[in-house]
Amino acid sequence: DAGVIQSPRHEVTEMGQEVTLRCKPISGHNSLFWYRQTMMRGLELLIYFNNNVPIDDSGMPEDRFSAKMPNASFSTLKIQPSEPRDSAVYFCASRDSTNTGELFFGEGSRLTVL
Amino acid sequence: AQSVTQPDIHITVSEGASLELRCNYSYGATPYLFWYVQSPGQGLQLLLKYFSGDTLVQGIKGFEAEFKRSQSSFNLRKPSVHWSDAAEYFCASHSGGGADGLTFGKGTHLIIQP
């Protein structure tokens, strides 16, 4: 199995630009999660999907952030417009339907907003 | 709401010495509990998990953890650390119901002295 695949691994952009992060979950997994990791706040859950439907987006910082999951094998997290305080590592994780809680993480997308 | 506390931000251990990383959870019922490890620039990898049954669980890389309900703890241990164990370690909990994500502690940074 290829695992959770995220792209890009690194993104450097200027304030005000649109950023799109991509995620391919493990085949057969029906839940997908977006986390953000910073030194100050640690790992924060932004949003999660179950069977492609957003279940809880209460962790999304503000309206500049949006996430979609058009099908079972692809999700995007978009920031528009980006700000320096959005600089962080963004992780995607997926989980199967056994509901034991275990998440499988991608390697993350490191975002730097100048 | 669930919470996970890792009281130690940094821990330094000599190579070959034993290790114990602390984790306390706050949840009314018995949660599902996890330990993840994150090497620099990498995603999170599952070390071990506890759902029920034997309170001492074995994981990968020679790690083990013990669930103690009376202390609301799930401490991670290793009898003899190797330089390659230097990493960030995260404790996490899950309520076991629904499709929600894991609640993570802030992490403990493990430094190995030669």
Side-chain angles (χ1 to χ4, degrees):
Chain A
D1 199 323
V4 177
I5 299 173
Q6 292 187 246
S7 64
R9 290 294 313 278
H10 302 274
E11 174 90 9
V12 180
T13 190
E14 293 187 344
M15 183 174 62
Q17 296 298 306
E18 178 180 295
V19 173
T20 300
L21 308 179
R22 299 172 178 79
C23 175
K24 176 178 167 49
I26 293 173
S27 177
H29 283 192
N30 66 335
S31 295
L32 183 140
F33 302 79
W34 283 100
Y35 281 86
R36 179 171 67 176
Q37 184 179 39
T38 61
M39 290 290 291
M40 292 297 294
R41 296 182 174 176
L43 279 158
E44 302 173 278
L45 177 63
L46 300 178
I47 184 172
Y48 70 90
F49 297 83
N50 195 37
N51 294 321
N52 312 338
V53 176
I55 302 300
D56 184 356
D57 65 355
S58 60
M60 297 285 261
E62 47 198 274
D63 292 345
R64 297 185 296 106
F65 285 69
S66 62
K68 294 182 179 179
M69 192 166 186
N71 57 62
S73 58
F74 184 66
S75 177
T76 60
L77 178 67
K78 185 176 293 186
I79 308 172
Q80 167 64 18
S82 60
E83 296 182 4
R85 59 188 167 131
D86 302 330
S87 298
V89 181
Y90 292 81
F91 286 102
C92 176
S94 68
R95 184 169 70 200
D96 64 23
S97 60
T98 58
N99 201 29
T100 55
E102 178 181 350
L103 295 182
F104 295 80
F105 282 82
E107 294 193 328
S109 295
R110 179 175 294 276
L111 172 64
T112 302
V113 183
L114 303 175
Chain B
Q2 297 181 64
S3 67
V4 176
T5 303
Q6 294 180 246
D8 304 306
I9 298 174
H10 301 276
I11 282 195
T12 300
V13 178
S14 297
E15 190 168 15
S18 63
L19 169 71
E20 182 169 27
L21 301 183
R22 296 183 291 165
C23 172
N24 293 97
Y25 67 90
S26 172
Y27 183 64
T30 298
Y32 296 171
L33 296 165
F34 306 83
W35 275 100
Y36 282 84
V37 60
Q38 183 183 27
S39 298
Q42 301 296 312
L44 279 73
Q45 180 186 21
L46 182 70
L47 285 176
L48 47 79
K49 55 191 176 186
Y50 171 78
F51 299 147
S52 63
D54 192 347
T55 57
L56 184 64
V57 294
Q58 303 297 319
I60 63 171
K61 304 185 181 187
F63 285 93
E64 66 178 26
E66 185 171 13
F67 170 67
K68 293 185 177 179
R69 184 192 306 275
S70 62
Q71 299 177 19
S72 297
S73 69
F74 188 57
N75 294 350
L76 182 72
R77 301 193 295 247
K78 187 170 184 178
S80 176
V81 297
H82 186 261
W83 65 266
S84 60
D85 293 325
E88 192 83 16
Y89 290 81
F90 293 93
C91 184
S93 71
H94 180 246
S95 63
D100 54 322
L102 299 183
T103 299
F104 284 89
K106 290 292 180 67
T108 297
H109 184 60
L110 176 63
I111 300 166
I112 306 296
Q113 283 184 335

